[in-house]
């Protein structure tokens, strides 16, 4: 009688306990899902109820099988079968939990961002991540199953070793990708560049819009996107206008005529900046920085609180100053002289008088020579 009751108690108790624990866990997840509507994690975890119960039941049977005294002549085979089922169900449970976590992250991203292109890109990344996770878990589970057989332990060890060798080969083949990944970690934790920073890369001015472990996207002022590997920012110099203080100093150049009223331009610059809301009032100035045979180079120095405002101040100063010069001082604008050359006036100095006397004496001498050279005629 004991030989019959013991197996029934062990098997029945394992099944009943599994169903009870599974039901309680499902109720808790349901309440959590109803309490937190903003996240679908708890509802997605309920999909793992079957592998969860299978793992729990298999673990209970595997632990209590020796006390059940059921089929003692097949104890080794039954124990190994339960171990294989436990490994497979555990791998199934891990994949379901990983899928729930990844799907929750994607749902939050899709709810916040309304751009369909970005949502599709993230969806593609999510699918790729799940395939990689499923492949890794599957390989580990198969290798663990093979290791349970004494005759197949060598094959299981070889499978794990081959996976390691393949990883090394893939790492060597994807050296540039790995370098970008390490560069991405360096940027993320080294605080070299952040989302929203204003940078200048390859002569292009823009704002950092996206940073991943492999690439970085800069949105330019004309709505273009420049995508480059993150290793660029760890191997080449670049300008980060948002590093430290956001205050900036801007420069405006004009090429004007030599008669440009520089002092009046200083006063006009002050009036322009006072009417410009983007100017922060820290500093301003006008100076002649260069000159050529035809023009002079006038530089205006202005300040603002950030990169966007300095751009506004510069274009405002440039436009209003040129308008003011064209209306009040048109002669100050550069021009090309196409008139005939004007000869210098005659000199009245002693050198000029001596030169005029020499010219008159020369003319008189020429007249005398011509008189002597005239042939004479006589009367017959």
């Amino acid at each position: 009688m004991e030989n019959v009751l013991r197996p029934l108690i062990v098997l029945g108790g394992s099944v009943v306990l599994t169903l009870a624990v599974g039901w309680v866990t499902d109720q808790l997840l349901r309440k959590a899902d109803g309490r937190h509507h903003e996240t679908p994690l708890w509802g997605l975890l309920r999909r793992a109820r079957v592998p969860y119960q299978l793992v729990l039941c298999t673990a209970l049977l595997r632990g209590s099988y020796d006390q059940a005294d059921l089929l003692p002549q097949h104890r080794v085979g039954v124990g190994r079968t339960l171990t294989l089922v436990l490994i497979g169900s555990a791998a199934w449970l891990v994949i379901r939990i990983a899928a729930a976590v990844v799907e929750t992250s994607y749902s939050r991203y899709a709810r916040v961002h309304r751009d369909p292109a970005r949502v599709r890109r993230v969806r593609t990344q999510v699918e790729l991540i799940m395939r990689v996770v499923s492949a890794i878990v599957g390989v580990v589970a198969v290798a663990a199953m093979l290791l349970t057989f004494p005759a197949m332990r060598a094959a299981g060890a070889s499978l794990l070793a081959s996976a390691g060798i393949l990883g090394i080969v893939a790492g060597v083949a994807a050296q540039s990708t790995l370098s970008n990944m390490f560069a991405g970690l360096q940027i993320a934790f080294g605080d070299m560049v952040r989302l929203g920073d204003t940078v200048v890369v390859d002569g292009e001015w823009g704002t950092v819009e996206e940073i991943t472990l492999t690439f970085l996207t800069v949105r330019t002022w004309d709505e273009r996107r420049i995508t480059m590997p993150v290793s660029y920012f760890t191997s080449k110099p670049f300008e980060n206008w948002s590093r430290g203080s956001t205050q900036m100093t801007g420069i405006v150049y004009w090429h004007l005529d030599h008669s440009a009223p520089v002092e009046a331009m200083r006063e006009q610059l002050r009036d322009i900046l006072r009417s410009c809301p983007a100017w922060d009032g820290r500093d301003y100035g006008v100076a002649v920085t260069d000159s050529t045979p035809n023009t002079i180079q006038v530089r205006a120095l202005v300040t603002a609180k950030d990169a966007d405002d300095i751009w506004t101040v510069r274009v405002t100063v440039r436009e209003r100053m040129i308008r003011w010069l064209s209306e009040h001082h048109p002669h100050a604008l550069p021009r090309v002289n196409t008139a005939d050359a004007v000869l210098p006036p005659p000199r009245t100095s002693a050198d000029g008088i001596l030169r005029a006397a020499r010219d008159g004496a020369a003319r008189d001498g020429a007249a005398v020579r011509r008189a002597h050279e005239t042939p004479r005629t006589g009367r017959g």
Side-chain angles (χ1 to χ4, degrees):
M1 188 68 178
E2 184 180 358
N3 295 333
V4 177
L5 290 177
R6 181 179 295 180
L8 290 178
I9 292 174
V10 171
L11 294 177
S14 299
V15 173
V16 172
L17 184 60
T18 299
L19 294 176
V21 173
W23 182 81
V24 172
T25 305
D26 185 69
Q27 293 299 317
L28 293 176
L29 292 175
R30 180 178 297 178
K31 290 182 179 180
D33 185 35
R35 189 178 299 110
H36 302 282
H37 297 284
E38 70 279 1
T39 174
L41 177 62
W42 310 111
L44 294 173
L45 286 177
R46 294 183 62 193
R47 299 179 183 177
R49 180 179 179 180
V50 174
Y52 171 70
Q53 291 180 335
L54 186 59
V55 169
L56 184 59
C57 183
T58 307
L60 292 174
L61 291 176
R62 186 66 183 86
S64 61
Y65 176 74
D66 293 337
Q67 286 74 25
D69 198 15
L70 182 64
L71 301 176
Q73 66 275 15
H74 300 288
R75 178 174 300 176
V76 177
V78 174
R80 186 166 296 160
T81 301
L82 292 174
T83 301
L84 294 177
V85 174
L86 179 61
I87 294 173
S89 59
W92 186 11
L93 179 62
V94 170
I95 292 175
R96 284 292 179 88
I97 294 175
V101 173
V102 173
E103 187 69 22
T104 300
S105 302
Y106 166 73
S107 299
R108 290 179 177 177
Y109 185 89
R111 187 167 56 250
V112 173
H113 298 82
R114 301 298 181 182
D115 187 1
R118 299 182 65 178
V119 173
R120 288 196 302 269
R121 177 180 58 80
V122 173
R123 186 63 185 178
T124 304
Q125 294 176 350
V126 167
E127 294 291 339
L128 180 60
I129 291 174
M130 280 309 306
R131 290 178 183 178
V132 172
V133 170
S134 300
I136 293 175
V137 173
V139 170
V140 173
V142 171
M145 290 178 180
L146 293 178
L147 291 175
T148 59
F149 297 94
M152 298 296 293
R153 288 178 181 175
S158 300
L159 180 61
L160 291 176
S162 62
I165 294 174
L166 289 177
I168 295 174
V169 173
V172 174
Q175 184 178 2
S176 60
T177 303
L178 292 177
S179 64
N180 283 328
M181 292 182 63
F182 286 117
L185 292 174
Q186 184 177 354
I187 288 177
F189 295 100
D191 198 25
M192 299 175 58
V193 61
R194 298 156 298 185
L195 290 173
D197 282 359
T198 302
V199 296
V200 178
V201 290
D202 286 341
E204 296 285 350
W205 174 85
T207 304
V208 178
E209 186 178 51
E210 184 179 8
I211 300 177
T212 67
L213 289 179
T214 56
F215 68 90
L216 185 146
T217 302
V218 177
R219 178 173 57 85
T220 61
W221 63 273
D222 55 355
E223 302 299 330
R224 290 181 293 116
R225 266 69 176 178
I226 302 177
T227 302
M228 57 187 61
V230 293
S231 58
Y232 175 92
F233 293 87
T234 59
S235 59
K236 296 182 179 180
F238 66 96
E239 296 183 27
N240 189 345
W241 292 2
S242 302
R243 187 72 176 177
S245 176
T246 59
Q247 295 178 345
M248 296 196 66
T249 299
I251 295 174
V252 181
Y253 286 106
W254 297 282
H255 293 275
L256 305 176
D257 190 78
H258 290 84
S259 60
V262 179
E263 290 296 335
M265 291 179 64
R266 290 192 178 96
E267 298 178 0
Q268 181 63 22
L269 176 64
R270 180 191 58 196
D271 296 338
I272 293 173
L273 292 176
R274 287 177 177 176
S275 63
C276 181
W279 182 53
D280 61 357
R282 286 190 296 122
D283 193 12
Y284 74 95
V286 174
V288 178
T289 58
D290 196 6
S291 64
T292 66
N294 298 319
T295 61
I296 60 173
Q297 185 183 67
V298 181
R299 185 195 69 183
L301 184 143
V302 294
T303 59
K305 64 181 179 64
D306 55 29
D308 293 335
D309 283 352
I310 199 64
W311 173 263
T312 303
V313 174
R314 291 175 62 193
V315 296
T316 302
V317 168
R318 184 182 295 111
E319 177 183 351
R320 294 186 181 180
M321 186 65 74
I322 292 178
R323 184 190 309 163
W324 177 77
L325 288 173
S326 62
E327 293 176 355
H328 299 86
H329 303 277
H331 63 278
L333 298 178
R335 58 187 181 274
V336 179
N337 193 353
T338 59
D340 295 334
V342 178
L343 297 178
R347 298 182 180 181
T348 59
S349 60
D351 293 339
I353 296 174
L354 293 176
R355 186 179 298 108
R358 285 197 301 268
D359 293 340
R363 286 195 297 270
D364 294 340
V368 172
R369 284 195 300 270
R370 285 197 298 271
H372 285 288
E373 292 175 355
T374 301
R376 295 180 180 180
T377 58
R379 297 180 182 178

